[in-house]
Amino acid sequence: MDKFFSPIIGLEIHIELKTASKMFCGCSANHFGKKPNTQVCPICLGLPGALPAPNKKAIDWTVLAGLALGCQIPKFSKFDRKNYFYPDLPKGYQISQYDLPLGINGKLELKVSNQSRNEKNIKSKIIRIRRVHLEEDTAKMIHYQNFTLLDFNRAGVPLIEIVTEPDFESSDEVKEFLVKLQQIVRWIGIAEANMEKGQMRCEPTVNLKIKKGKKIFYTPLVELKNINSFRFVKKAIEYEVKRQLEEFEKTGEVKREGNKTTRGWDEKKGITVLQREKEEAADYRYFPEPDIPPIRWRKIQITNFKLQILELPEVKREKFIKEYGLTDYQAKILTSKKEMADYFEKVVKLGRGKLEISYLANFIINKKVEISRISPNQLIRNLLEKEKITKITGGELEKIILEALKENQKATEDYKKGKVNAVQFLIGQVMAKTKGQAKPEEIKEKLVELIS
Ligand code: ZN
Ligand code: MN
């Protein structure tokens, strides 16, 4: 078969920032599970005459996200109105950013082993990030029988949008990227990014490049929506790739269906379903938001942001391997969360010179140490105590055993005559003397050695 295809996948990701208040008003931004329409005001309800006041923290955090994703931060940025008419948008427009986003031209490096192609070796791959911008979230629509209910608690929550170039070639790469992105935004402390809670939402665009003979075809671009877990991202993309390939094979050519079609992921059926046509970008009639002054950054401000994100997970991981001599596996687990990495560093600082670093790493990983319950100080004290106990019993065990043999001459004779259970008795005696601080196997070994 002289046919070859390769998926072309891009991502648009929305992540809610975990600021205390909303993007343009003082309402609480923590809306999950709250009684509908209890965290609203004239601003986030879009009532006439209400004026937005931007949340500085949200702007700063978007810049941090941009920098963490290797973006350039242009000196000048502004907000724009994205106009469209939909019930989840009370103003009739969304305050977003159009031509001058807060971050541009970033990149994220992936370590990919392409499982679906059975490739075992791990490769490095760069995903280019086109832009990172800040906007407001919309109201939540709840479909109930023939009605649609609206909850405005979510309206106006700060939302960052991250758009990648279509650099992904498989669902594995997409998943790897999302996991990494989630880890980064959690690490720098700007978002919870829980997909199941809708705090992180992703819309992949998928099409295929197909080589047939000397001709190259591109299938029409499809945007996938309604995906709320990492698992479904993978499934939806895989389904869509298969569907587009089959569609192409059926017709042998490519039908143009406008610019882009939208398909929703149906998790019950495990398929993607055609949705309403998406408006073209031109239809949004973007124009600068007149109620919010533009943003101008001074160099020193950007430098200060950079200082806040010096040690991202990747950097820490390298450090743990090079400086502490940890294995890839140990370093990966101990840098999975910032709290964990910080904890481990404190433990190392306290335990260095007294305990092996690799032993400390293994102990935390294997014993699943609950870092919120035991302080680094306490952990080191416990481990040193443990060491001490084994050292004492190691040195004194022999003395204690000899003592026990003297006190239990009958049992000793019995053992020599071949009564095996006499050993159990003697072990019990020794255990009692050591107050349970020596291991039975250890005692038995030494005991048998001493009697014979
Ligand atoms: Zn409000
Ligand atoms: Mn958006």
Side-chain angles (χ1 to χ4, degrees), residues 257-319:
E257 305 167 4
N259 200 16
K260 181 158 62 173
T261 53
T262 303
R263 299 180 74 90
W265 170 246
D266 183 330
E267 70 175 71
K268 280 189 197 113
K269 293 186 185 140
I271 60 170
T272 62
V273 188
L274 192 66
Q275 289 187 342
R276 77 182 161 94
E277 283 290 313
K278 199 186 155 88
E279 295 88 336
E280 306 258 328
D283 288 346
Y284 289 131
R285 297 182 283 104
Y286 279 100
F287 65 87
E289 165 62 60
D291 292 334
I292 303 172
I295 301 155
R296 281 186 187 82
W297 296 111
R298 279 176 293 132
K299 231 179 173 173
I300 182 79
Q301 287 176 294
I302 304 300
T303 309
N304 287 339
F305 286 132
K306 283 183 183 164
L307 288 174
Q308 289 180 47
I309 51 157
L310 284 180
E311 292 207 306
L312 291 171
E314 209 67 22
V315 179
K316 270 281 199 256
R317 203 154 112 187
E318 290 284 299
K319 180 182 171 186

Side-chain angles (χ1 to χ4, degrees), residues 22 24-28 39-45 152 155-156:
K22 290 188 183 180
F24 300 112
C25 62
C27 294
S28 169
Q39 301 183 347
V40 292
C41 75
I43 294 171
C44 53
L45 284 175
F152 286 92

